[in-house]
Amino acid sequence: VIYNTTISWTKKKGSHQRDISLDCVQLCRDIATGKTDNIHHVRWNYQSFLNDLSPEKEVFAIRTTHLWNDWVTVNNILGSTEDVSVPEKGTEEDTVNARRSLPVRNNLTPEGREILCQLLREEIRVYVSMLNRAVNLSDDDVQSSLDGVKNNCPLVYESLSLVSSKH
């Protein structure tokens, strides 16, 4: 069940300000199809990044949940001669996408989560493909990320037969 609600915020640019109010159902559809002009970082899905990338090209993945470890690994693979400065564990700099600062917390119903998972099914498939292509991720790294997909979207996980195919 998707409720007819709106999301509103104020967009500020310099001294200009405008109020934006969007229908959530339409916003979700626009996000899923990559057609939103209001939330720029969701306009491009994983497939859009892969469209012009030859299958022979190496892919590096830096996962938000493992940001600093992945960052260090990629830098080392690329031949970095200096250590990457990694923030101390638990500091504000170490925290990425901290839930404490988000206005909406985990309030999805199981039915809502399943709807969202089904909506993102193709995106999840491409995400897993990218994980398997990433030269900086080990089998264990990929499996860890697959476990996240399995925990959050078990029916999509099962329907896509998601397993690590890294060699």
Side-chain angles (χ1 to χ4, degrees):
V1 176
I2 298 177
Y3 298 97
N4 289 325
T5 58
T6 58
I7 183 171
S8 301
W9 73 93
T10 301
K11 187 174 185 177
K12 296 179 181 179
K13 188 173 184 180
S15 61
H16 299 285
Q17 174 177 317
R18 73 178 171 136
D19 293 325
I20 299 172
S21 184
L22 301 170
D23 172 66
C24 286
V25 174
Q26 187 59 49
L27 178 62
C28 288
R29 286 185 183 121
D30 290 347
I31 288 171
T33 58
K35 295 179 181 174
T36 181
D37 288 327
N38 293 297
I39 305 174
H40 299 288
H41 68 280
V42 297
R43 187 181 309 161
W44 307 107
N45 59 20
Y46 287 126
Q47 187 61 52
S48 67
F49 291 106
L50 293 178
N51 281 340
D52 296 325
L53 187 62
S54 164
E56 294 82 38
K57 292 287 186 183
E58 288 185 331
V59 172
F60 298 104
I62 298 179
R63 302 160 296 160
T64 304
T65 53
H66 302 280
L67 179 82
W68 299 111
N69 288 335
D70 290 350
W71 189 268
V72 169
T73 301
V74 169
N75 273 285
N76 289 337
I77 290 171
L78 294 175
S80 177
T81 57
E82 298 179 21
D83 289 336
V84 175
S85 176
V86 176
E88 189 175 320
K89 202 74 159 154
T91 63
E92 188 173 324
E93 293 82 12
D94 177 54
T95 306
V96 178
N97 292 337
R99 292 201 179 275
R100 63 179 157 61
S101 63
L102 296 176
V104 177
R105 299 188 191 271
N106 295 326
N107 62 354
L108 273 178
T109 64
E111 297 81 15
R113 181 180 295 266
E114 184 53 35
I115 290 168
L116 188 57
C117 288
Q118 290 302 326
L119 184 66
L120 294 173
R121 185 178 191 279
E122 181 61 16
E123 187 75 350
I124 292 169
R125 186 193 63 74
V126 176
Y127 168 73
V128 171
S129 175
M130 286 177 60
L131 291 173
N132 282 314
R133 280 184 67 182
V135 297
N136 62 299
L137 299 180
S138 69
D139 289 344
D140 289 341
D141 292 337
V142 173
Q143 189 57 54
S144 171
S145 293
L146 290 178
D147 290 345
V149 173
K150 185 177 182 179
N151 289 337
N152 286 299
C153 297
L155 295 178
V156 169
Y157 179 91
E158 290 172 20
S159 74
L160 294 174
S161 301
L162 298 179
V163 293
S164 174
S165 63
K166 292 197 62 94
H167 295 97

